[in-house]
Amino acid sequence: MAIRIYDTRTRSKRELVTLEEGKVGLYACGITPYSPSHIGHARQAISFDIIVRWLRNRGFQVNYITNFTDVDDKIISVANEEGVDYLEVANRNIDDYFRCMDSLNVIRADAYPRVTETIPDIIEMISQLLDKGHAYEADDGVYFEIDTSPEKYGLLTGQTLDMVRAGAGGRVSKTGAGKRDHRDFALWKLAKVGEPAWESPWGEGRPGWHIECSAMSLKHLGERFDIHGGGSDLIFPHHEAEIFQSECCLGHEPVVQYWVHNGMINVDGEKMSKSLGNFWTISDALGKVDPLILRYALINAPYRQPVDFNQVIVDDSESHHNRMFAAYRDGLMTKGKGDWGDFPDLVESASRFESGMDDDFNTRIAIVEVQNVTKILRALLEDGELQEKIVAATGWISNFAGDVLGLLPEDNEIISEFERTETERVDLAPIVERLLEKREEARLEREWERADRIRDELSKMGVVVEDGTDGATWRLSD
RNA sequence: GCACGAGUGGCAGAGCAGCUAUGCAAUGGACUGCAGAUCCAUGGACCCGGGUGCAAAUCCCGGCUCGUGCUCCA
């Protein structure tokens, strides 16, 4: 079945037809590293990670590029406050980004170009825009002139030139003193004293905010490419500016075949922002919740939906993930052979999973099927028979929840962790068994207080007692 | 104000014209001294008002409410 993708430009789901058969060029706008990464960055990265994983799963050869805007006003201002070089700030936050994304099981992109490494390409692009009459030089830099191709205005947002003129009201005066029109945007900003700067035909300065993505996508993916993505907050003005720059520079349209945008994160129903005090960096979140549980929470809704991040969603995800993980781990310990392709119910789950993912990467539908198979697997484990099917269902989870959704650690990690706790268990066994015998005696004598005291004691040792039909079993608490 | 999107059971969240969504929570049961885990079962929803259809949560029109964008932002 064909893959359908929601394209912001046409506001509809369209079948994915790539420029080159079997290949996908994908550029996703990355971060401006002026502060530690927050969970909105995680959502963006995970959204595109899932898209890339699924396209690869479907046999596409994906070239996935995501950038770092490693020089901009905010980085410079942080650097000035701290009295350090701007690159120190950028590098520190890029390191943080990678650390966070690795722990969230985000597969690395094929390249992470940086603005500071792309300056010659940016200058070349600006020169061409000037040559073609789409840009002009002013006292404080070079600007793109919107009026040279007004038909491109509002391609993603549906806004018209007049709307923005009206909406901007009196707030436009202080942006870009040299602009002829407030909707024009900077391509090159001349440096003020003490700012990082590069030589250019127009004087020392640095690139404007939008041009780097046009230059980097051109450099890495060529004059036309399949998918361009980013957070939905970038639709305007950033991505519309890119359309102006790339299409006017290259002289053809469309440069981008599909525009894909992920939804934002809200916290307790409000926009996440520093001023509201509801701001979660990824490190904050990981202090409270396991990375894969956070990942689970962030793909519980399809990528385009806004996600309301709160304690409920975290708790919910934790219980779902724990159930799946426990079943999977137990399944891994079952020896034997089994292929999910041999079992109709597992095949049906797989097919629903696949058609959900084919339909604009609907991870919610995918997760429902993971929950389904988890349920099947747990029932099988409970029953203990049908080893072949246990192995088959475990394989299903490994493939879909693990490889595709990235919700599981590596098998050998799970096994070594299991062995570690087994060792611990064996060490504790004699003393636990003795206490359990005493408790059983107390229970037979119906002395519940004494029995409960023993259970409390075991609980302090990190042992959870569970009474079942065949007497008590125990396990180590997490 | 303008643009875009959304309003589904206690909560999260699919479906987007006819067929049980699902999970958590709740309730009942199995098991139980209690607790926990597990299993089985049950109830419960489509913002409001019109319209089109044999049939509407699903399409159309009009409201209302919320979110996002219009300024740096994933």
PDB file of all heavy atoms in Angstrom, chain A residues 245-256:
ATOM      1  N   GLN A 245      13.216  32.143  -1.081  1.00  0.00           N
ATOM      2  CA  GLN A 245      14.656  32.128  -1.367  1.00  0.00           C
ATOM      3  C   GLN A 245      15.021  31.033  -2.360  1.00  0.00           C
ATOM      4  O   GLN A 245      15.689  31.273  -3.368  1.00  0.00           O
ATOM      5  CB  GLN A 245      15.432  31.869  -0.070  1.00  0.00           C
ATOM      6  CG  GLN A 245      15.316  32.994   0.932  1.00  0.00           C
ATOM      7  CD  GLN A 245      15.708  32.552   2.323  1.00  0.00           C
ATOM      8  OE1 GLN A 245      15.772  31.355   2.621  1.00  0.00           O
ATOM      9  NE2 GLN A 245      15.974  33.507   3.177  1.00  0.00           N
ATOM     10  N   SER A 246      14.593  29.801  -2.035  1.00  0.00           N
ATOM     11  CA  SER A 246      15.016  28.658  -2.849  1.00  0.00           C
ATOM     12  C   SER A 246      14.435  28.745  -4.254  1.00  0.00           C
ATOM     13  O   SER A 246      15.140  28.564  -5.244  1.00  0.00           O
ATOM     14  CB  SER A 246      14.573  27.352  -2.198  1.00  0.00           C
ATOM     15  OG  SER A 246      15.216  27.204  -0.953  1.00  0.00           O
ATOM     16  N   GLU A 247      13.139  29.035  -4.340  1.00  0.00           N
ATOM     17  CA  GLU A 247      12.512  29.018  -5.652  1.00  0.00           C
ATOM     18  C   GLU A 247      12.965  30.199  -6.507  1.00  0.00           C
ATOM     19  O   GLU A 247      13.165  30.050  -7.716  1.00  0.00           O
ATOM     20  CB  GLU A 247      10.980  28.979  -5.509  1.00  0.00           C
ATOM     21  CG  GLU A 247      10.547  27.653  -4.879  1.00  0.00           C
ATOM     22  CD  GLU A 247       9.028  27.456  -4.818  1.00  0.00           C
ATOM     23  OE1 GLU A 247       8.276  28.397  -5.161  1.00  0.00           O
ATOM     24  OE2 GLU A 247       8.610  26.365  -4.434  1.00  0.00           O
ATOM     25  N   CYS A 248      13.149  31.345  -5.879  1.00  0.00           N
ATOM     26  CA  CYS A 248      13.600  32.502  -6.665  1.00  0.00           C
ATOM     27  C   CYS A 248      15.057  32.342  -7.088  1.00  0.00           C
ATOM     28  O   CYS A 248      15.447  32.747  -8.179  1.00  0.00           O
ATOM     29  CB  CYS A 248      13.424  33.788  -5.866  1.00  0.00           C
ATOM     30  SG  CYS A 248      11.695  34.234  -5.674  1.00  0.00           S
ATOM     31  N   CYS A 249      15.834  31.728  -6.238  1.00  0.00           N
ATOM     32  CA  CYS A 249      17.243  31.519  -6.577  1.00  0.00           C
ATOM     33  C   CYS A 249      17.390  30.476  -7.673  1.00  0.00           C
ATOM     34  O   CYS A 249      18.125  30.675  -8.635  1.00  0.00           O
ATOM     35  CB  CYS A 249      17.993  31.080  -5.327  1.00  0.00           C
ATOM     36  SG  CYS A 249      19.680  30.574  -5.635  1.00  0.00           S
ATOM     37  N   LEU A 250      16.669  29.373  -7.545  1.00  0.00           N
ATOM     38  CA  LEU A 250      16.844  28.270  -8.480  1.00  0.00           C
ATOM     39  C   LEU A 250      16.016  28.437  -9.742  1.00  0.00           C
ATOM     40  O   LEU A 250      16.290  27.802 -10.764  1.00  0.00           O
ATOM     41  CB  LEU A 250      16.467  26.946  -7.798  1.00  0.00           C
ATOM     42  CG  LEU A 250      17.377  26.587  -6.614  1.00  0.00           C
ATOM     43  CD1 LEU A 250      16.784  25.438  -5.798  1.00  0.00           C
ATOM     44  CD2 LEU A 250      18.776  26.224  -7.099  1.00  0.00           C
ATOM     45  N   GLY A 251      14.987  29.270  -9.675  1.00  0.00           N
ATOM     46  CA  GLY A 251      14.190  29.550 -10.856  1.00  0.00           C
ATOM     47  C   GLY A 251      13.202  28.458 -11.223  1.00  0.00           C
ATOM     48  O   GLY A 251      12.743  28.389 -12.370  1.00  0.00           O
ATOM     49  N   HIS A 252      12.872  27.591 -10.305  1.00  0.00           N
ATOM     50  CA  HIS A 252      11.802  26.623 -10.587  1.00  0.00           C
ATOM     51  C   HIS A 252      11.009  26.359  -9.310  1.00  0.00           C
ATOM     52  O   HIS A 252      11.453  26.657  -8.201  1.00  0.00           O
ATOM     53  CB  HIS A 252      12.367  25.323 -11.157  1.00  0.00           C
ATOM     54  CG  HIS A 252      13.283  24.596 -10.214  1.00  0.00           C
ATOM     55  ND1 HIS A 252      14.629  24.462 -10.450  1.00  0.00           N
ATOM     56  CD2 HIS A 252      13.051  23.966  -9.030  1.00  0.00           C
ATOM     57  CE1 HIS A 252      15.182  23.789  -9.460  1.00  0.00           C
ATOM     58  NE2 HIS A 252      14.253  23.474  -8.575  1.00  0.00           N
ATOM     59  N   GLU A 253       9.838  25.775  -9.494  1.00  0.00           N
ATOM     60  CA  GLU A 253       9.010  25.461  -8.342  1.00  0.00           C
ATOM     61  C   GLU A 253       8.202  24.200  -8.614  1.00  0.00           C
ATOM     62  O   GLU A 253       7.917  23.907  -9.774  1.00  0.00           O
ATOM     63  CB  GLU A 253       8.067  26.628  -8.028  1.00  0.00           C
ATOM     64  CG  GLU A 253       7.140  26.935  -9.186  1.00  0.00           C
ATOM     65  CD  GLU A 253       6.152  28.051  -8.882  1.00  0.00           C
ATOM     66  OE1 GLU A 253       6.446  28.916  -8.042  1.00  0.00           O
ATOM     67  OE2 GLU A 253       5.081  28.022  -9.500  1.00  0.00           O
ATOM     68  N   PRO A 254       7.852  23.428  -7.651  1.00  0.00           N
ATOM     69  CA  PRO A 254       8.293  23.614  -6.275  1.00  0.00           C
ATOM     70  C   PRO A 254       9.639  22.940  -6.027  1.00  0.00           C
ATOM     71  O   PRO A 254       9.951  21.944  -6.654  1.00  0.00           O
ATOM     72  CB  PRO A 254       7.209  22.887  -5.467  1.00  0.00           C
ATOM     73  CG  PRO A 254       6.771  21.771  -6.373  1.00  0.00           C
ATOM     74  CD  PRO A 254       6.911  22.286  -7.784  1.00  0.00           C
ATOM     75  N   VAL A 255      10.405  23.527  -5.140  1.00  0.00           N
ATOM     76  CA  VAL A 255      11.662  22.904  -4.745  1.00  0.00           C
ATOM     77  C   VAL A 255      11.353  21.741  -3.785  1.00  0.00           C
ATOM     78  O   VAL A 255      11.935  20.677  -3.874  1.00  0.00           O
ATOM     79  CB  VAL A 255      12.580  23.941  -4.052  1.00  0.00           C
ATOM     80  CG1 VAL A 255      13.752  23.259  -3.349  1.00  0.00           C
ATOM     81  CG2 VAL A 255      13.098  24.927  -5.092  1.00  0.00           C
ATOM     82  N   VAL A 256      10.402  21.990  -2.905  1.00  0.00           N
ATOM     83  CA  VAL A 256      10.019  20.978  -1.917  1.00  0.00           C
ATOM     84  C   VAL A 256       8.702  20.342  -2.339  1.00  0.00           C
ATOM     85  O   VAL A 256       7.734  21.039  -2.654  1.00  0.00           O
ATOM     86  CB  VAL A 256       9.848  21.643  -0.533  1.00  0.00           C
ATOM     87  CG1 VAL A 256       9.266  20.652   0.469  1.00  0.00           C
ATOM     88  CG2 VAL A 256      11.183  22.191  -0.040  1.00  0.00           C
TER      89      VAL A 256
END
